[in-house]
Amino acid sequence: MWQGRATTGSSTQGGAEESWTYVIDGVRKTGWFASDFTMAELQSVVLTQAIWSRSTRFDGYPILSVTDLPTILDVKQPSVWLNVQHDIFYKEHGLNMRNYILSIQKNVSVHYISSPELGFLQNISGRVHRKTKLVFSFLDKALLDNSIHRTYGSLLSNLTFVKSIASGIMVPKSYIWPVTKDNYLQQAPTSIVAEAHSAGLEIYASDFANDRIIPYNYSYDPLAEYLNFISDGGFSVDGVLSEHPITASGAIGCFANLNSSKTDHGEPLIISHNGASGDYPDCTDLAYHSAINDGADVIDCPVQVTSDGTLMCMSSVNLLDTTNVQRTPFSSRASVVSEIQATPGVFTFNLTWDDINSSIQPKISSPLSRYYVVRNPRYTNQGKFLKLSDFLAMGMDKDLSGVMIIIENAAFLAKSLGIDIVDSVNAALNAAGYDNQTAKGVLIQSKDSAVLVKLKQQKTKCKLVYTLPSGIGDVSTSSLEAVKKFADAVVVDKDNSVFTSSLDFIIRQNNLMKDLQSSGLAVYAQVFRNEFVSQPLDFFSDETVEINYYFQSFNLSGIITDFPKTVRRYKKNTCTGLGNDMPNYMQAVPIGALDQLLQKFKAQPPSMPPMPTLNASDVVETPLPPVAPRNEPGGSPRGAETPGAPPSDTHKATASTGILFVMVFTALLI
């Protein structure tokens, strides 16, 4: 901040609320301007956040002068970039920006000076240190640079003239790669990077921030956006201006030249969550193929059952969650099934496979839509649903470590619909050939311990994975012993169990992960998402920073993610194997550091009590109930086929052998 006192302008209010109206760059603006105050007067003014996604807990920091920078940074001679926006305005008010910069050169190491006024750069050229680079900052092409009375668009077509004054140019990233009205990248970038380099100019891209909506092509991954601008060849810029340097530094230093593209399937495994559901509708062919292409080691299938007994992959048994069923005549079949949920739903077991496959479209999930953050709108209703048999065939055919099957609502299906989902899944796996090979692993995941107990009793070859309840911070010894009796691994909810958080700030790390791994259980963490509102603020709105912490802090067996590409790229970075030479920006962020920083300003989030501990009573369940006949009251929904037929290519759900015997005996009597 440069202090001064303006003496001209029109006052719109008086006293302490006084504001002023000035003409700046040809536009009348009313407000409070630095030139109207001395630096001493501005000490009573504090800074506030200008972006909605940023916590107001950071509001309240004081305004700094340029000469304050060397004193607050833990660097002997920090390299400073000064951006001078309104030299003409300051001159009109008796303030000389050129003289000010020249006066501070001895105390501040100014390496770059940028300005959208080419005339100012021309005026200061030759007067600053030879190592100081002058950078012309382009604004909207239709606007006028009043210092030379030319539009930025016309200057863009005359970079040779710009080169006679400046050594580089700074442009908004949309100058380089324009964006469509629906927020996708246009098919090709402009030629501005090549033109700047051809004119002998360096080119810097601006407007990078992790916590803004970026084009959907990047899947909410800010690091992917940086990489798009620092690629090899003529398209690479010479630098980026970022509000999150940790991400920009990581992109340039650790991800610009990735290691071998070969997928090694080593731990921690990359496990899809409903396929690549961050980019395509859950559990569709598009989501699964994308997950495989993006480098997933394991693809997952939450198994649901239709009214005709077909097993299919669907992220929710309630079709209202991830399909357009509410826009079809089937919406009239909505009902409340209290064993599943307290609100009405249209469930997979209300409809046949043909009903779902031919009349209903998938709908992309947007788990963070409460923040008005939606996913890949162009593909909202794209893709095809898959039967379990099709999913298993895909898993066998592709370069994968294996598949994960998620079993839900087993007790309800047995008691109310007469379907033994455990035996049905086993039959599907056998029919697909998974029991006769060892190359592909099978993980079966469930939050119902009774499901895993039954599989354990059947001496299954599958790896059994227990989903821990959400919201626990620790596990008792008795609960660990109980889990180890039926499970080989556990799934932890990273958002609600690993850390104790308050207002999106991490307060402390819980004991959960340490205790789980000390027990010998394999640990998987879920669900990792790219959206900048999905991580605690300690990870700087960058999913790669969060992934980096989990990789370096825990000996995970797998990461379950909506965006397999982000995790696969992390595993290929060139920095995590550097040991003591690892750069600071790739070291695990200190947990709770932001909370401690806020405590200095007495604005820390409210303290939080310890989270609950998992006990054995929370784990042990009653065995699954016997499978009820599907034609009894409370059995299968209307229209369900009679159970008992041998598994077909759709893997019809099987009922008990007792029902088969009754059917055969009845046929003999007839």
Side-chain angles (χ1 to χ4, degrees), residues 52-70:
W52 65 267
S53 59
R54 297 179 183 174
S55 173
T56 57
R57 297 278 168 173
F58 288 119
D59 293 350
Y61 281 82
I63 295 174
L64 299 175
S65 69
V66 174
T67 52
D68 288 334
L69 291 177

Side-chain angles (χ1 to χ4, degrees), residues 254-255 257-259 548 568-577 586:
C254 302
F255 292 91
N257 299 290
L258 298 177
N259 287 324
N548 186 49
R568 174 56 61 190
R569 186 192 58 218
Y570 174 83
K571 293 185 74 170
K572 296 179 182 178
N573 83 80
T574 57
C575 289
T576 51
M586 275 298 286

